[in-house]
Amino acid sequence: MSEKSRVSGSPRPATASGLAANGAPRDDGIVQHFPGFSLAGWLERLERLHPSTIELGLDRVRRVKDALGLDPAFPLILVGGTNGKGSTCAYLEAILGAAGYKTGLYTSPHFLRYNERVRIAGSEVNDADLVAAFEKIDAARGDISLTYFEFGTLGAMAQFIDAGVDVAILEVGLGGRLDAVNVFDAAVAIVTGVDLDHMDYLGDTREQIGFEKAGIYRAGRPAICTDPAPPASLLDHARQIGADLRCVERDFSAQREGGQWTYRGQAIVWPALPLPAMAGAFQLRNAAGALAALEAVRARLPVSEAATRQGLAQACVPGRFQRIARAPDVILDVAHNPEAARALAATLRERPVAGRTLAVVGMLADKDAGGVFAALRGEIDAWWTCAPDSPRAQDAAALATLLRAHAGRAPVSVQPDVNTALAEARSAAHEGDRILVFGSFYTVAAVLDHAATQQ
């Protein structure tokens, strides 16, 4: 889910000073401002301010944006899609940074710190700047209610403007048409792919979801699509609004040639590029989409071939087939829908091991676990199910039942939490085995958090 806050603890009662005991402003409907309260306190307050975690629509966030005068003069790149958004954003940030541009990057969700969501010139912003941005938004919104994600989106843009970035990259949180980032007009927009996810909000067919994703496209502006078989709704919407649609395999392509690859665009051909640092054949499509977007805006943001090579080699995102340990290898992946699971299965096949592949899986209840397990059928030799730390987590026993129905005869063990399951898998691992931990951002975050506390 895009609106994960990962702030532990429950709200505490307000004190007589007007602050809650955790340092957050008292939430009594009156706008109050106090120096020195913490980022954690602000985030806890933002979770409570709006009755719904998600409320799609642009009217409220646009009114606050206008009140704040958030009209960036620098170009924006919007990145939407079911999977591949984070990787595509990472390529854009790394390449533009290597080209000497001061970048702003806004992504979600985060793993360990909210600060991961907002980066300027490749570095996370500090707590004080985030607090200052939230305070500015709170003062401007009046009685307009904003969700956690909407607050964060406006806060990120305020910081990018204050910092004087040369370009900002904004990752869509959910869908596109009605997502908060779409209140800003992009110089170029990318849809990485369209598959079934967040169906309660976006529709239960690729055609319905494709229309929502295509909502980030703009008339007369470059619109990149890296889905090799885009739904007709996306193509039709781009045509109807007069977007400059550029599709993978038609207008640009990525062709692997041994340990290198070639990008072919409308006006640029760059041969013998280094393979992306992130694993998976699908990463070539993500990288090509980033290059197609940069090619489309090269008059405003020229990027050299040397900077492109450097960025491709350096771009990395946690939780995308990320190895965190050896002997046995422990690999983390945030795959949580069937499309991502199919890509994960392909990567596992590309990188065989001498021994077995053991899997620890924890998922949210609103995900298509059956489709995920069917995609990985035959790739996993033993399973450990668990429940990630989320009120929306799927029960581990229920997950095991789905596994047995969809994933063949591989043994399944049920464990109460992610790190207990991982410890059990490690105990069962032999020389040459590997362990895959996947199924949710929450699942991966639990392992990263545990690893950080052991250092």
Side-chain angles (χ1 to χ4, degrees), residues 7-99:
V7 177
S8 61
S10 58
R12 296 179 175 87
T15 65
S17 68
L19 294 179
N22 65 351
R26 187 178 63 209
D27 188 17
D28 56 7
I30 302 172
V31 177
Q32 303 183 58
H33 306 287
F34 301 89
F37 54 81
S38 67
L39 174 59
W42 261 107
L43 295 175
E44 190 170 303
R45 180 184 184 229
L46 298 187
E47 290 184 304
R48 304 194 308 265
L49 276 177
H50 195 76
S52 302
T53 303
I54 298 171
E55 182 178 339
L56 296 178
L58 300 181
D59 178 65
R60 290 171 298 101
V61 71
R62 180 176 286 116
R63 288 161 60 196
V64 181
K65 165 191 170 291
D66 292 342
L68 287 162
L70 296 181
D71 295 309
F74 46 82
L76 307 178
I77 304 174
L78 262 61
V79 182
T82 304
N83 298 298
K85 299 188 295 292
S87 300
T88 301
C89 288
Y91 294 127
L92 290 166
E93 181 192 38
I95 293 168
L96 287 163

Side-chain angles (χ1 to χ4, degrees), residues 241-256:
I241 68 171
D244 177 12
L245 182 63
R246 306 183 186 194
C247 294
V248 70
E249 306 303 340
R250 187 190 75 183
D251 304 295
F252 64 95
S253 66
Q255 181 176 352
R256 181 167 180 170

Side-chain angles (χ1 to χ4, degrees), residues 226-248:
T226 59
D227 191 315
S233 60
L234 181 145
L235 302 175
D236 291 345
H237 179 73
R239 183 179 63 253
Q240 288 169 6
I241 68 171
D244 177 12
L245 182 63
R246 306 183 186 194
C247 294
V248 70

